Amino acid sequence: QVQLVESGGGLVQAGGSLRLSCEASGRTFSSYDMGFFRQAPGKEREFVVGISWSANYTRYAESVKGRFTISRDNAKNTVYLQMNSLKPEDTGVYYCAAAMSVAALNMGYWGKGTLVTVSS
């Protein structure tokens, strides 16, 4: 089992920045690929970004490329999502996910989410 806890959400104006964190506990964090999904009000959950266990592979949704950056610190069992140039359409609940591959993140472990609200 892997337990994931997100933090860092909040209210920010358009153009601003936030950094989300996801701390993992349980089984060996460094064995898992990690990522973030988000769910806007009235919409389905969507993939945002993923990072491999070694951090040598990342994948971003087109909508966040150039604005969001994912990183991880395996010594701290934590993955980070730096979000810059935020837009109102980035609003939603952001969920951390862990799985054995980035492609399988939607079928792995989930956190409870943290709310990001971007005002125009």
Side-chain angles (χ1 to χ4, degrees):
Q1 288 286 336
V2 175
Q3 292 80 41
L4 304 171
V5 179
E6 303 95 336
S7 61
L11 174 64
V12 64
Q13 289 188 331
S17 299
L18 281 175
R19 190 176 83 153
L20 305 184
S21 298
C22 172
E23 185 171 357
S25 60
R27 302 185 71 175
T28 307
F29 172 77
S30 60
S31 299
Y32 286 87
D33 289 5
M34 303 290 294
F36 286 89
F37 289 69
R38 67 187 181 190
Q39 187 167 19
K43 295 187 176 181
E44 293 186 354
R45 191 176 299 188
E46 64 175 0
F47 172 82
V48 176
V49 61
I51 186 169
S52 64
W53 67 270
S54 63
N56 64 354
Y57 170 76
T58 55
R59 179 158 65 95
Y60 293 85
E62 286 295 326
S63 60
V64 306
K65 278 184 179 178
R67 300 188 298 121
F68 290 13
T69 303
I70 192 169
S71 62
R72 66 189 294 163
D73 186 339
N74 287 344
K76 295 183 178 180
N77 287 0
T78 302
V79 62
Y80 305 97
L81 181 61
Q82 178 66 43
M83 305 186 295
N84 298 328
S85 302
L86 282 161
K87 304 175 181 180
E89 51 264 44
D90 294 318
T91 293
V93 178
Y94 281 68
Y95 298 91
C96 182
M100 296 309 295
S101 70
V102 171
L105 281 172
N106 62 330
M107 297 180 286
Y109 299 98
W110 293 95
K112 293 185 177 181
T114 185
L115 178 62
V116 172
T117 304
V118 184
S119 64
S120 57

